[in-house]
Amino acid sequence: MTTVLIVDDQPLQRLGFRMLLEANPDTEVVGEAGHGGEAVRMAAELRPDVILMDVRMPGMDGIEATRRVVAAGDRSRVLILTTFDLDEYAHEALRAGASGFLLKDAHPEELLAGIRAVASGDAVIAPALTRRLLDAYAQHLPKHSPEGPEAEPATDDPRIRSLTEREREILVAMGRGWTNGEIAERLFLSESTVKTHVGRVLAKVGARDRIQAVILAYDLGLARPNSPEQEST
């Protein structure tokens, strides 16, 4: 049973989510919050497995609420929900520690699958938006040198130095948006081996989940938008 806290400033939206989740035998709604401050308080009190978090709310928004939930070290994982397919705040929410990003008009099975994935420690982004979101996110990254984003990646970062050659290869692949199946196919590995490597990479770089590892790959210049390697995939 996955426990869920619903956070949205629209009562009808919360009701719709509640009806969907209560009709599913594997999920239990433990509470509802109408703004970020209430979400932070209820997350600490209820410790839900997953928080469905709206981005745009009056008062404390979903980004700041996500940041505070993650900073508190709570077990809860945040799944961002938004009406806008390229919400300008989405990349900030992911940087704040959210474990996923879906549109509010996602099909019910997509939302339920996203909740299960996030609860299990994986990460999720609406499939059709993955590359577009990463490209949009990359536009907010600092340049690695005066020459711009084509500068050499920050390979001297201690988190990168801790990785084996294969683990770094896996991190780069995750940064390109490849699934475990795609990594296995391209690197000629079994999916179980890829999962093992992904787990080790997350542990070594201190990432909560796959999304945070992808953000790290972008931050350190290991992955870039629309690179030749990505286009060829």
Side-chain angles (χ1 to χ4, degrees), residues 31-63:
E32 296 181 19
H35 56 79
E38 189 177 20
V40 173
R41 178 183 61 79
M42 294 184 71
E45 176 184 335
L46 301 173
R47 296 176 58 82
D49 297 314
V50 176
I51 302 173
L52 294 183
M53 183 79 76
D54 188 20
V55 174
R56 299 183 179 186
M57 295 180 289
M60 185 188 297
D61 63 18
I63 298 171

Side-chain angles (χ1 to χ4, degrees), residues 46-105:
L46 301 173
R47 296 176 58 82
D49 297 314
V50 176
I51 302 173
L52 294 183
M53 183 79 76
D54 188 20
V55 174
R56 299 183 179 186
M57 295 180 289
M60 185 188 297
D61 63 18
I63 298 171
E64 182 59 27
T66 297
R67 185 177 293 114
R68 295 192 185 191
V69 168
V70 172
D74 292 335
R75 61 189 293 271
S76 304
R77 296 183 181 274
V78 178
L79 179 57
I80 295 292
L81 295 174
T82 180
T83 306
F84 307 96
D85 66 351
L86 272 182
D87 191 311
E88 62 266 32
Y89 301 121
H91 78 280
E92 292 293 345
L94 294 175
R95 179 185 284 279
S99 296
F101 174 83
L102 286 176
L103 300 182
K104 287 184 178 179
D105 62 0

Side-chain angles (χ1 to χ4, degrees), residues 5-231:
L5 171 64
I6 300 170
V7 184
D8 197 292
D9 63 328
Q10 299 295 324
L12 285 178
Q13 188 74 68
R14 296 199 304 270
L15 176 61
F17 288 139
R18 175 179 282 276
M19 291 176 64
L20 170 64
L21 297 177
E22 289 184 341
N24 178 55
D26 298 327
T27 53
E28 177 189 1
V29 177
V30 294
E32 296 181 19
H35 56 79
E38 189 177 20
V40 173
R41 178 183 61 79
M42 294 184 71
E45 176 184 335
L46 301 173
R47 296 176 58 82
D49 297 314
V50 176
I51 302 173
L52 294 183
M53 183 79 76
D54 188 20
V55 174
R56 299 183 179 186
M57 295 180 289
M60 185 188 297
D61 63 18
I63 298 171
E64 182 59 27
T66 297
R67 185 177 293 114
R68 295 192 185 191
V69 168
V70 172
D74 292 335
R75 61 189 293 271
S76 304
R77 296 183 181 274
V78 178
L79 179 57
I80 295 292
L81 295 174
T82 180
T83 306
F84 307 96
D85 66 351
L86 272 182
D87 191 311
E88 62 266 32
Y89 301 121
H91 78 280
E92 292 293 345
L94 294 175
R95 179 185 284 279
S99 296
F101 174 83
L102 286 176
L103 300 182
K104 287 184 178 179
D105 62 0
H107 294 297
E109 59 270 21
E110 292 175 332
L111 178 58
L112 294 173
I115 290 173
R116 286 193 296 269
V118 168
S120 68
D122 205 345
V124 59
I125 298 180
L129 305 177
T130 302
R131 174 51 51 203
R132 290 168 58 199
L133 180 60
L134 290 177
D135 287 352
Y137 168 78
Q139 303 308 312
H140 298 264
L141 294 177
K143 309 304 182 188
H144 290 289
S145 78
E147 287 72 31
E150 297 305 317
E152 288 299 313
T155 54
D156 59 341
D157 187 282
R159 292 167 294 184
I160 301 303
R161 291 203 308 268
S162 71
L163 301 177
T164 65
E165 183 176 350
R166 174 62 81 184
E167 288 165 353
R168 177 177 169 178
E169 195 173 17
I170 295 291
L171 176 58
V172 171
M174 287 193 288
R176 292 173 179 164
W178 296 357
T179 65
N180 284 354
E182 290 170 334
I183 295 173
E185 180 180 353
R186 288 169 168 81
L187 301 185
F188 305 101
L189 300 170
S190 69
E191 282 201 49
S192 61
T193 298
V194 171
K195 289 180 181 178
T196 298
H197 282 309
V198 168
R200 289 174 179 167
V201 169
L202 297 183
K204 286 186 177 182
V205 304
R208 281 169 54 91
D209 51 42
R210 196 185 191 95
I211 286 292
Q212 302 308 308
V214 169
I215 290 176
L216 175 66
Y218 267 66
D219 282 343
L220 298 182
L222 298 175
R224 300 185 182 97
N226 300 320
S227 67
E229 294 89 347
Q230 290 170 333
E231 291 296 327

